[in-house]
Amino acid sequence: MSLAIRCRGLVKTFPGKPPVEAVRGLDLEVRTGECFGLLGPNGAGKTTTIEILEGLSAPTAGVVEVLGRAWKTDERELRERIGVTLQETKLADKLTVLETLRLFASFYARGRSAESALDEVGLGEKRSSWVVNLSGGQRQRLAVACALVGDPELLFLDEPTTGLDPQSRRQLWDVVRALRGAGRTILLTTHYMDEAEKLCDRVAIVDHGRVIAQGSPAELIRSLGGDHVVEFAFQDGLRAGELAALEALPGVRAARAEADGGALTVGEPHVTIPALLAFAEREHRALARLSTRQASLEDVFVTLTGRHLRDA
Amino acid sequence: MRDRHPFLQLFAARLRELKREPGVLFWIFGFPLLLAIGLGIAFRNEPRTEVAVGVLRSAGAEAVAAALPAERGFRASVLTDAEAAHALRLGKVALVVVPAAESGGAPEFRFDPTRPESELARVRVHDALERAAGRVDRIEPREAPVTEPGSRYIDFLIPGLLGMNIMSGGMWGIGYAIVDMRSKRLLKRLAATPMKRTHFLGAFLAARLVLVLAEMVLLLAFGWLAFDLVPQGSLVDVVALCVLGACAFAGLGLLVATRTAKVEIVGGLINLVMLPMFVVSGVFFSSERFPDVLQPFVRALPLTALNDGLRAAILEGAPLSEQLPRVLVLLVWGAISFVLALRLFRWS
């Protein structure tokens, strides 16, 4: 199987007092044609990693191979073959959408027309609008279009939906899904677990500059031992020792305390929930809350780190 | 697919951005014109400075006023004591004459000797009263007033304004614009494409040159239409000086922008570079006023070289071949700052 990106032992330390170790020995393999996600909380080292892979900053140590080439020796060729959106780039305010795209298109020897890239991200109607008059979601789609005008084999998207409203996020997801269908390799970073689950074939969970788990979203969730999560809370909180008793209930693979109650990872909710209710009755505990849902990458992250993605 | 060459796309984008920013257009074109109009009015050359004199209302007032006729450059008005004091305080009259109480007595002059126009009035009124009293002048010089274009304040001013505009346009138009792009991470985004760095910087410089030539045409045309100032030297030399100056200041603008990440900081840096030259490089008054020990430093500044060069070319018709030291100063500033800037430049 051919690899679009391979990196081994990637380290990036920013000088300072004390020095900041943003990336500490990160290994990654992205296969040609897949959509790969770097998932992790803010400050995990995702942007530092992706900017090294994009050849915009040099690693302190480690080996990076992109499309079988090295940045040091083949920068010109690689620039022609990749497309990039950075986190929060502001394009020139007073150029129109089409002018901006034509400008970017002119940098590439081959590539495609600005108009077709516009249609691909669904911005055709806005072609004559100034960038300053676009909404956040439209600007982000324009940024993706700028990355597409070179007809790249490999596309980097750094936090593509951060700060967007729910509708704009869904529109951008549609754009990315269509790109994946077209056979390109995509590497994206995100701190939204739903985004990684919906868009990515495979995900690397990054924390403190290292990959702590890697696989398809389904594989990672399956590694929890159960596909469902039962969340509950008792009227006056969880008592000492109760968590261990709950972990012993039938069908429970893992139990953890949450803010005001607990979460059980279970294989079969219809086995565990009656047992949980019986437990509450036996112990004279009143349930304040009980819900069940599909397990998510968030649960994987919590299980691995003991922290939630959103507040890590 | 290339619609057009990347250099042309970058150049067109830069011009479009400038054209669509009304504030920028005002600073480039409106501001120097307003300055020229304002200063031109304030320092316009009058036929001869009129001396306004107040004469205190008294028995001898008419005789004194008659000795100060308008055709000899006086404007005498007979005033009461209170009016005279008021007019003197406001500067409406430069001097108040109190006529002598009895004929043959000496008049009294009330004036502030620290004010040059009052001192001038004292001398001229005294002179006029002496003549009226019967003094015979043995020498009567012929007067040949100099008012032709080339030696008035506005003539000094127009090349200076052009030089100043080339400086601030280069510093803000290149330095500020690049730091603004860096702070928005647009520079980094461009560095992530196959764009050639020389195309990018070349397009900035080319857009700058177009503006400089437009500014030059505007200011020279204004000087010609409003003040009858016709450039003496060849226009090619004037254009060459403008281009050299634009390159020198584009280099300096690029240099202050090499690593700065915040627009607030680059604003301060630009002012730090420009302010000394505003003062010493002869924009509003001649740089010759500074002491001789400072002259080598003053003349080594790019704005001094540009202003002096433009004045020599526009007002005296000096060809470029007679201005080689100034040309050299501009070339050296441009070359050193470009080389340094390109070596230090950061895209992120």
Side-chain angles (χ1 to χ4, degrees), chain A residues 218-271:
Chain A
E219 277 166 16
L220 288 170
I221 290 164
R222 215 174 303 131
S223 72
L224 293 170
D227 290 344
H228 300 269
V229 174
V230 174
E231 288 173 315
F232 65 93
F234 292 134
Q235 211 94 75
D236 39 3
L238 210 57
R239 287 178 195 149
E242 258 179 356
L243 207 58
L246 290 166
E247 199 154 16
L249 291 178
V252 176
R253 305 276 191 272
R256 63 174 192 263
E258 295 276 270
D260 60 341
L264 309 175
T265 308
V266 307
E268 295 162 306
H270 62 274
V271 174

Side-chain angles (χ1 to χ4, degrees), chain B residues 39 104 135 333:
Chain B
L39 291 169
R135 186 188 70 189
W333 276 98

